[in-house]
Amino acid sequence: MNKLYHGAVFYPELWSGEVVREDIRRMAKSVGTLIGGPSPGLSFLTEMKRGQGRIVLLGSLPAGDEGSEMLERMLIHYGKEANVTRMAEVTTGTIMAPRESETEEIWGIVNMNGEGESVTLPREGFDKLSGERLAAGRMEVGRYEYRMIAFPSGSSQK
């Protein structure tokens, strides 16, 4: 076990269901163990190789700003291990779904929480709905707004 983490919130429902319990029993590598709190000694993060990939089970949700930063670092770490080549900076409450055609890459962007958020565009693109040309950088997304941002295929930075 490589890391100990305390200050996490334990959610037993994350481990509910017979399939999940069986996978946990078979998982050989606990990456971190909780210390203190309502579930000391239980695995915080467990890994299991599956085919060419890896299943990662988070047994406890880190709390606060420090926990959010830890989750982000974990996602980046496992994304790099899985050779994820497209990363998008999207604020909480907004989703981004990339799609590709032969001529362009399109990002479908939707604000889901009604608070209005932002997405960071990695390069210049244009809004397929309004025809507006957009510069690289932070793009505001209004309350419940949806956008379709296109990037020419040749400019792809996957």
Side-chain angles (χ1 to χ4, degrees):
M1 288 179 241
N2 300 334
K3 296 185 180 190
L4 298 175
Y5 182 70
H6 54 85
V9 179
F10 181 63
Y11 291 100
E13 63 272 15
L14 290 178
W15 287 33
S16 64
E18 189 53 39
V19 172
V20 173
R21 283 192 292 275
E22 185 59 32
D23 273 349
I24 291 168
R25 284 188 207 109
R26 286 188 270 150
M27 286 188 174
K29 185 177 179 187
S30 177
V31 178
T33 303
L34 292 166
I35 56 175
S39 52
L42 293 180
S43 183
F44 166 69
L45 185 72
T46 310
E47 297 179 346
M48 181 174 88
K49 286 196 76 64
R50 185 66 64 112
Q52 293 181 6
R54 186 183 310 219
I55 296 173
V56 179
L57 265 172
L58 187 60
S60 189
L61 190 62
D65 290 341
E66 185 179 301
S68 293
E69 185 179 325
M70 176 187 271
L71 278 174
E72 184 174 335
R73 284 194 320 263
M74 286 187 322
L75 287 169
I76 290 168
H77 167 77
Y78 285 110
K80 285 180 181 176
E81 280 195 358
N83 294 319
V84 172
T85 56
R86 179 186 289 121
M87 304 248 288
E89 210 174 300
V90 180
T91 54
T92 303
T94 298
I95 60 171
M96 188 278 288
R99 299 292 182 263
E100 288 188 48
S101 74
E102 291 179 13
T103 59
E104 61 191 2
E105 178 181 0
I106 298 177
W107 287 10
I109 300 167
V110 182
N111 175 254
M112 302 291 286
N113 67 359
E115 295 181 15
E117 303 288 345
S118 68
V119 173
T120 301
L121 302 179
R123 57 199 177 279
E124 184 180 285
F126 63 94
D127 189 317
K128 297 280 281 188
L129 302 176
S130 71
E132 175 186 3
R133 187 158 291 297
L134 302 165
R138 183 181 164 124
M139 178 188 78
E140 297 298 319
V141 181
R143 295 172 37 121
Y144 301 111
E145 183 178 23
Y146 57 93
R147 311 279 295 264
M148 298 296 286
I149 309 304
F151 307 98
S153 282
S155 71
S156 182
Q157 290 182 339
K158 291 187 267 177

